[in-house]
Amino acid sequence: MPEITLPQGTIRYRDTGPRDAETLVFVHGLLVDGSLWDGVVAGLGEDVRCVVPDLPLGSHRTPMAADADLTPRGVGALIAAFLAALDLRDVTLVANDTGGAIAQLVATEHPERLGRLVLTPCDAYDNFLPPGFRPLQTMARIPGMVWLVLQGLRIPAARRLPMAYGMIAKHPPEQAQLARWLAPATHSAGVRRDVAKLLRGIDAADTIAAAARLADFDRPALVLWPPEERTFPFAHAERLAATLPQGRLERVTDSWAFAPLDQPGQVADALTRFLEQTSVAEGTLRAR
């Protein structure tokens, strides 16, 4: 995987497809990496460029700089810096889970390089973090607690608990995949420091403000969400699609929050239709 060094630290990323094609950048959530999107990227074929960074959300292999701002707004600024460093323009930003909250911050605070926005099940409004995961924020404030929780997740059965991965994937990943996602934070004090900084920095005030400002994102937008999702309410999907000036809502069947993992084919097909039916030349971007 190629790497790029930003002021915040080094980011590893996947980069496939023609350099002059439509460019999609994929954003994952907490305690996973860009491999969450592998099935979707494969389903999109070879006619689009797919850039998939491993963001510093707990499954990254290289710790960030000790002074890096890893609050959600800080990670939003990091994504903007990543797009600028690779000189990516008119990007279709596709996000899931915690990454969806961060993508809303990018769209409202750093929209210059975005052409489209796609939100799959993610934190929004006052649901950041969802209630079942809020104890993680408390744990992040107690020295040594993140390490202790991760040691418990060495037990395969514990990874299926609701506060781990049990409520977010209807079709659970293989244990080897879960172990791979957990390994960096389990073994690296620097990665644990990074994820604790993120957790401590989460504030629903940011997503509430961002959701209101999505009315200024006048570019094509797709909200792609399973109606049966329980962690991120479908009502939020309806509100997001209604707020975005060019928003459209599509449903994913037989899936929970990890739609890219549960139904990669459906997600890839929806993205393909969305690219075919929209243009990055449509509308304008207005940043406050």
Side-chain angles (χ1 to χ4, degrees), residues 65-124:
D67 62 350
D69 179 358
L70 297 181
T71 63
R73 293 183 70 185
V75 178
L78 182 150
I79 292 172
F82 176 78
L83 300 181
L86 294 182
D87 196 25
L88 301 178
R89 302 172 186 272
D90 295 328
V91 162
T92 298
L93 190 67
V94 187
N96 177 253
D97 192 36
T98 324
I102 295 167
Q104 293 171 56
L105 295 169
V106 176
T108 54
E109 298 183 358
H110 310 281
E112 297 81 9
R113 292 178 178 268
L114 302 191
R116 302 181 184 90
L117 177 66
V118 180
L119 298 175
T120 66
C122 63
D123 303 79

Side-chain angles (χ1 to χ4, degrees), residues 126-168:
D126 60 350
N127 195 43
F128 187 35
L129 290 168
F133 295 95
R134 287 176 192 164
L136 293 173
Q137 289 185 273
T138 301
M139 294 175 188
R141 295 184 175 96
I142 303 172
M145 185 59 72
V146 172
W147 177 86
L148 185 62
V149 170
L150 289 164
Q151 299 314 304
L153 292 177
R154 287 174 177 266
I155 303 169
R159 300 168 190 159
R160 306 293 193 202
L161 294 173
M163 202 173 71
Y165 299 96
M167 290 288 290
I168 53 180

Side-chain angles (χ1 to χ4, degrees), residues 1-263:
M1 290 174 62
E3 298 179 346
I4 191 163
T5 299
L6 304 173
Q8 299 92 331
T10 298
I11 301 293
R12 303 170 75 230
Y13 63 98
R14 303 152 186 81
D15 191 350
T16 60
R19 296 300 180 266
D20 58 350
E22 293 269 17
T23 300
L24 295 90
V25 175
F26 294 86
V27 181
H28 60 79
L30 182 67
L31 288 178
V32 302
D33 62 21
S35 65
L36 177 80
W37 297 100
D38 283 354
V40 175
V41 170
L44 289 170
E46 299 178 355
D47 294 332
V48 295
R49 183 180 182 185
C50 295
V51 180
V52 192
D54 286 347
L55 296 166
L57 304 183
S59 294
H60 54 298
R61 303 277 161 173
T62 304
M64 295 291 100
D67 62 350
D69 179 358
L70 297 181
T71 63
R73 293 183 70 185
V75 178
L78 182 150
I79 292 172
F82 176 78
L83 300 181
L86 294 182
D87 196 25
L88 301 178
R89 302 172 186 272
D90 295 328
V91 162
T92 298
L93 190 67
V94 187
N96 177 253
D97 192 36
T98 324
I102 295 167
Q104 293 171 56
L105 295 169
V106 176
T108 54
E109 298 183 358
H110 310 281
E112 297 81 9
R113 292 178 178 268
L114 302 191
R116 302 181 184 90
L117 177 66
V118 180
L119 298 175
T120 66
C122 63
D123 303 79
Y125 304 104
D126 60 350
N127 195 43
F128 187 35
L129 290 168
F133 295 95
R134 287 176 192 164
L136 293 173
Q137 289 185 273
T138 301
M139 294 175 188
R141 295 184 175 96
I142 303 172
M145 185 59 72
V146 172
W147 177 86
L148 185 62
V149 170
L150 289 164
Q151 299 314 304
L153 292 177
R154 287 174 177 266
I155 303 169
R159 300 168 190 159
R160 306 293 193 202
L161 294 173
M163 202 173 71
Y165 299 96
M167 290 288 290
I168 53 180
K170 185 173 183 181
H171 306 286
E174 298 292 331
Q175 286 290 348
Q177 176 75 305
L178 298 179
R180 179 181 180 276
W181 286 339
L182 290 166
T186 301
H187 299 294
S188 168
V191 173
R192 289 194 297 275
R193 176 203 64 208
D194 291 348
V195 73
K197 288 168 71 173
L198 173 78
L199 288 167
R200 291 195 300 266
I202 287 174
D203 188 341
D206 289 336
T207 39
I208 291 169
R213 291 178 60 188
L214 287 175
D216 292 334
F217 188 84
D218 195 6
R219 285 288 172 96
L222 173 65
V223 181
L224 189 58
W225 217 279
E228 63 180 297
E229 163 55 13
R230 299 172 292 177
T231 303
F232 304 114
F234 190 70
H236 285 182
E238 295 173 314
R239 288 174 63 188
L240 289 166
T243 299
L244 288 155
Q246 297 188 49
R248 59 179 72 184
L249 175 63
E250 288 196 32
R251 291 162 172 78
V252 180
T253 61
D254 192 29
S255 174
W256 291 349
F258 274 8
L261 194 66
D262 282 333
Q263 297 297 338

